[in-house]
Amino acid sequence: MSGSFGARPVLLERFRDLLPVTSATPLLTLGEGATPLVRVPRLGADIGASDLWLKVEGANPTGSFKDRGMVVAVAKAAESGARAIVCASTGNTSASAAAYAAAAGLEAIVLLPAGKIAAGKLLQAFAAGAKVISIDGNFDDALEIVRELGAGGGGVEIVNSINPHRIAGQATAAHEIIADLGDAPDVLALPVGNAGNISAYWRGFTDAVRIGSTKRRPRMAGFQAAGAAPFVSGAPIANPETIATAIRIGKPASWDLAIAARDESGGFIRAVTDDEILRAQADIIRLGGIFVEPACAAPIAGLRNAIADGSIDGSQRIVAVMTGFGLKDPDTASRLVGEIRQSDATVAGVRRALGW
């Protein structure tokens, strides 16, 4: 076989001019970024969108979008001489932080709300050697403790999205979308939990206009779970509840940035029910072939509603961000398991089982 496909791009190198990378920053990588942008016409037709694309961030090394920002945050922590990183997490942040800390030779400390994390994500954090502490409280309580731990110094760096390096790294996804499509989409739809991602994408599209890679920015359409929708209610929620654990957050850390992204883009942040989320999760794999965790289904459920009520024009080019892989939450995904048909070991038996 002649020729070469070349090495996978290193995010810290590919976007060096847009990131806080210096000659002293270690070029840490696990192969993050350069994720697929997939057109899904069958799923689009089902929700009324004629030009629907999925940005498949579950293809990142630890299975979620968190890797884009984590590689920058951990590299900068290593550059500063930190001995440990610390984060509060509903799951994906812990998996990503633990993996990048392991690669950088740093200690990872993870605070989790007791009983509120999907099994796949917790396993990843343990496997990478993180010190995991379960607290009797929710994510917002965990984040307050993390803030105090980080403020105490001692070579401990916070790697939640309150760390600006996280937002800078996550913003690179917007540049990838523009590069793949040749322009910004009309609408970008994504789940909203702690709100770092909607803030990061808006920053990315804004930077893209500034450097001339596009002349426009998309309308931002954010979707929360109805039981964890502080942006929709207009105030923090003390006890958020939803089956979509990745967005089970009642007091988003990036509140002001998310509001700015919503308002400056002429967009909105709305809520969808858990039933709508579960239906959309099944539709995404059944009609689009992409297996995602429940939080990713929120934008598809929300787009279905917004197109139906005329809030979004279904003929526009829409990109929905699929933030995490389906096996992140195997317990919820298990409801998708169907009947296993029995057959003897013959062609005729298999035909009978198939009803042929």
Side-chain angles (χ1 to χ4, degrees):
M1 183 176 179
S2 61
S4 172
F5 291 107
R8 184 175 181 82
V10 175
L11 186 143
L12 291 176
E13 290 183 319
R14 181 182 181 190
F15 298 105
R16 174 183 288 272
D17 293 343
L18 297 168
L19 296 172
V21 175
T22 72
S23 60
T25 307
L27 293 179
L28 181 65
T29 186
L30 295 177
E32 61 290 323
T35 56
L37 183 65
V38 181
R39 191 165 187 263
V40 281
R42 293 188 68 225
L43 179 62
D46 188 66
I47 69 169
S50 62
D51 193 13
L52 177 65
W53 300 71
L54 304 183
K55 180 62 169 166
V56 188
E57 289 291 89
N60 276 299
T62 74
S64 88
F65 76 97
K66 303 287 186 176
D67 295 346
R68 289 183 181 276
M70 197 61 68
V71 68
V72 184
V74 175
K76 295 301 287 185
E79 179 183 346
S80 72
R83 63 178 178 83
I85 59 170
V86 63
C87 67
S89 181
T90 57
N92 283 328
T93 298
S94 68
S96 185
Y100 282 91
L106 301 178
E107 182 180 9
I109 302 163
V110 174
L111 272 65
L112 305 173
K116 301 292 186 180
I117 180 171
K121 304 171 188 180
L122 182 58
L123 176 59
Q124 286 181 281
F126 275 122
K131 291 182 177 177
V132 179
I133 301 171
S134 175
I135 68 161
D136 185 16
N138 59 28
F139 170 84
D140 305 304
D141 299 321
L143 185 56
E144 287 303 314
I145 295 170
V146 164
R147 288 179 187 271
E148 291 190 32
L149 289 173
V156 178
E157 291 284 343
I158 300 172
V159 292
N160 281 101
S161 57
I162 56 176
N163 182 327
H165 301 319
R166 278 279 309 278
I167 300 299
Q170 287 167 212
T172 60
H175 297 279
E176 289 183 5
I177 289 171
I178 291 168
D180 287 346
L181 292 179
D183 201 354
D186 297 301
V187 177
L188 185 90
L190 72 174
V192 175
N194 211 28
N197 218 23
I198 189 171
S199 308
Y201 272 92
W202 187 240
R203 170 176 169 171
F205 287 118
T206 299
D207 285 345
V209 170
R210 175 178 56 80
I211 64 177
S213 57
T214 184
K215 293 183 179 179
R216 63 191 186 122
R217 299 179 293 182
R219 188 179 181 201
M220 305 296 282
F223 297 96
Q224 301 195 284
F231 287 109
V232 180
S233 65
I237 295 173
N239 296 298
E241 286 296 338
T242 172
I243 198 166
T245 57
I247 53 174
R248 189 189 282 154
I249 295 170
K251 187 179 179 182
S254 298
W255 186 286
D256 291 342
L257 291 174
I259 294 296
R262 180 197 68 186
D263 294 349
E264 291 172 15
S265 72
F268 56 77
I269 298 176
R270 294 182 181 174
V272 290
T273 67
D274 277 5
D275 285 345
E276 289 173 323
I277 286 171
L278 291 175
R279 174 191 173 186
Q281 184 192 25
D283 288 344
I284 293 166
I285 180 66
R286 180 176 61 87
L287 299 172
I290 307 296
F291 188 27
V292 300
E293 66 172 310
C296 308
I300 297 302
L303 285 169
R304 186 193 304 274
N305 295 339
I307 292 169
D309 70 20
S311 300
I312 289 178
D313 180 350
S315 69
Q316 292 185 309
R317 174 164 283 180
I318 302 169
V319 172
V321 181
M322 301 291 101
T323 48
F325 184 55
L327 289 179
K328 288 283 192 171
D329 188 349
D331 293 334
T332 301
S334 67
R335 81 186 198 290
L336 299 172
V337 177
E339 173 193 5
I340 298 178
R341 305 181 186 198
Q342 300 297 316
S343 169
D344 56 32
T346 66
V347 172
V350 171
R351 287 183 179 277
R352 282 194 298 272
L354 291 172
W356 289 4

